[in-house]
Amino acid sequence: MNKQDVMKELEAYGDERTKNTLIKHGAQEPFFGVKVADLKKILKKTKKNHELSLELYATGNSDAMYLAGLMADETKITESQLETWVDQAYWYYLSEYAVPWVAAETSFGFELGLKWIEDKRELVQDAGWATLSGYASIQEDENLDIEMYRTLLHRVGEQIHSAQNRVRFAMNSFVIAVGSYIESLTDEAIAVGDKIGKVDVTLGSTACKVPLATEYVNKVITRGSVGKKRKTPRC
């Protein structure tokens, strides 16, 4: 399939109800409103495809950009290309999911995440914290800089309530990721979760809520899943 083929399929899969839901979450035109399940039908045909993923992301169409994040080849995409992607991520489905999913799987993902969290732009910071979370979820602990994750965890505890809107959500998710995937830091993550408590984030005109970090991590503990790594952060 080429870009034109994919765009035609995306348009055909467009669903008005899904589009209206995404608008409530903050999506912006142009996009068709394609369900993730339907994006994955296209992905089965394309598999990982580096060049096609770059072409789709460059369309500026949110559905195509999200699909690009599912399709991207983490072994071929460059740091420069991901910098372009994060610059063009104009809402959180892209900055919190599509871009960090790919970044977290690259050999330079940790360093890129650290760089992005120092950016002044809300959605770039957002992508940085999400990248660091994704990286922790797939890398064995011996490959992680545990002391840096500890430092970042306590930084969240000090700064989350003064951070920008979507950054607060990503920071809260970072506490959950550290507590869930890095067993040696689980207790500290719970302590930080207790400290930050309820995190207020404007989530558009939706009924969605920000999960309590401590509550979430305790559920992971209860089901005996602490430290169990994922094969990929993409979903």
Side-chain angles (χ1 to χ4, degrees):
M1 297 182 76
N2 59 29
K3 182 183 76 173
Q4 289 72 26
D5 295 330
V6 173
M7 294 305 292
K8 286 180 182 177
E9 286 214 17
L10 288 172
E11 186 172 8
Y13 278 126
D15 176 76
E16 199 63 31
R17 182 175 295 179
T18 300
K19 185 168 186 175
N20 289 335
T21 297
L22 292 175
I23 288 173
K24 290 179 180 178
H25 280 270
Q28 302 171 32
E29 296 284 2
F31 72 111
F32 303 116
V34 182
K35 298 175 183 177
V36 173
D38 290 329
L39 292 176
K40 291 184 177 180
K41 291 176 184 177
I42 300 174
L43 186 64
K44 284 184 178 180
K45 299 178 184 179
T46 65
K47 310 297 183 184
K48 284 187 179 179
N49 187 319
H50 175 61
E51 292 300 331
L52 182 55
S53 71
L54 296 179
E55 291 178 3
L56 291 172
Y57 200 91
T59 64
N61 179 290
S62 179
D63 298 308
M65 296 166 84
Y66 192 96
L67 177 59
L70 294 172
M71 186 188 300
D73 188 333
E74 73 283 357
T75 66
K76 294 181 179 179
I77 198 164
T78 66
E79 185 172 346
S80 176
Q81 287 165 341
L82 277 168
E83 291 282 14
T84 297
W85 277 25
V86 81
D87 286 344
Q88 295 174 353
Y90 55 85
W91 76 294
Y92 79 86
Y93 259 38
L94 306 175
S95 64
E96 240 165 74
Y97 304 113
V99 176
W101 284 343
V102 183
E105 291 189 349
T106 66
S107 59
F108 48 84
F110 179 67
E111 291 75 16
L112 202 53
L114 291 177
K115 177 182 178 182
W116 286 347
I117 64 172
E118 303 302 335
D119 199 286
K120 293 182 179 179
R121 291 169 292 173
E122 177 182 359
L123 294 185
V124 179
Q125 284 187 42
D126 183 39
W129 288 105
T131 297
L132 295 170
S133 295
Y135 192 80
S137 76
I138 60 173
Q139 291 288 338
E140 295 302 324
D141 286 0
E142 57 264 30
N143 298 326
L144 296 174
D145 185 337
I146 301 297
E147 285 307 309
M148 178 56 75
Y149 270 94
R150 175 177 283 114
T151 298
L152 293 171
L153 187 61
H154 291 284
R155 172 174 166 178
V156 170
E158 296 296 327
Q159 299 179 2
I160 188 168
H161 293 297
S162 61
Q164 298 178 82
N165 189 59
R166 287 309 307 190
V167 181
R168 295 196 297 274
F169 190 94
M171 282 179 156
N172 189 70
S173 298
F174 176 83
V175 176
I176 291 170
V178 171
S180 300
Y181 296 111
I182 307 178
E183 190 169 8
S184 62
L185 295 180
T186 297
D187 289 344
E188 288 180 64
I190 289 174
V192 170
D194 280 333
K195 178 180 180 179
I196 65 178
K198 183 176 182 292
V199 179
D200 292 319
V201 179
T202 301
L203 298 172
S205 55
T206 73
C208 296
K209 297 181 180 180
V210 181
L212 287 170
T214 300
E215 185 177 288
Y216 195 105
V217 175
N218 277 324
K219 287 180 179 179
V220 175
I221 293 172
T222 299
R223 67 173 181 258
S225 299
V226 171
K228 291 185 179 179
K229 303 292 183 173
R230 301 177 62 178
K231 291 182 178 180
T232 175
R234 305 184 212 195
C235 59

